[in-house]
Amino acid sequence: ASEWFQKAYDLNPYNIRHIHRLSNSYSRAKNHLQARVYYIKAYEKDSTITRFGDMIWGMWEVNDFSDYYHQVDRIIDDTREKLLANTKPLLGLYTSLHYPFDLSDLMGIAIHQSRDIEAIARNYGQSHRHVPDTLLKRKIRLGYVSYDFRKHAVGIVMQNVFQYHDRNMFQIYAYNCNPKMKDDTILNKIKNTVDHFIQIDDMNAYDAAMLINNDRIDILIDLGLFTAGNRMDVFALKPAPIQVSGLG
């Protein structure tokens, strides 16, 4: 595969897809020195946080971090320039915690990230009214939203929580945001200890909020916060009368 991707790159060395595929093919072939070369080229042409992560991975594979601090300085300088220009920075809040930003930088990053969420809420408006069941003559419905109902820190922590909810009082809904779930022992345990396991990965914010509201969830618990795959856009629409930030 590397040979063909190399030919594609030689024909068009400016195509970021060709560079990315070539670097990945070298990495899979254990040719880590060549992979590192093209991970760096990809980042130089497409300075996104994904390309930066690939480049750091390439450094790790060959145990050569000689250029690391220079690249981190580039990330920090670029972020500060965007904040000064009042444009959206490359990094999200969670990722930025891995780098030596000062508190004012982090506050600026958080403000820009929150603007995206606020825009969704403005576009749709508050998604639903919450009409309480008469005297709540039913079990309280708890909804958990996560990208990480799997072999992951969140899944490991939560796998034993659901079974200890008093089923005489609570009904448990798990809303899964991850489209690439692979069966593992933690995922299967969670599926077996909740009452409803529901995929929302392919739903936009409004449709997911509508589903949750139609399920009459009383307390909605966020297990993602600012981490990858979060659905803060859904929470911004307030589909449940009580919403809680949990893990993430």
Side-chain angles (χ1 to χ4, degrees), residues 39-58:
Y39 280 135
I40 292 172
K41 288 181 181 292
Y43 177 65
E44 288 173 348
K45 296 184 184 303
D46 180 31
S47 298
T48 63
I49 193 57
T50 300
R51 304 294 178 221
F52 183 75
D54 289 341
M55 182 176 63
I56 299 303
W57 177 257

Side-chain angles (χ1 to χ4, degrees), residues 228-243:
N230 73 76
R231 292 309 303 263
M232 288 189 292
D233 55 345
V234 175
F235 281 82
L237 299 179
K238 299 181 173 58
I242 299 174
Q243 298 187 168

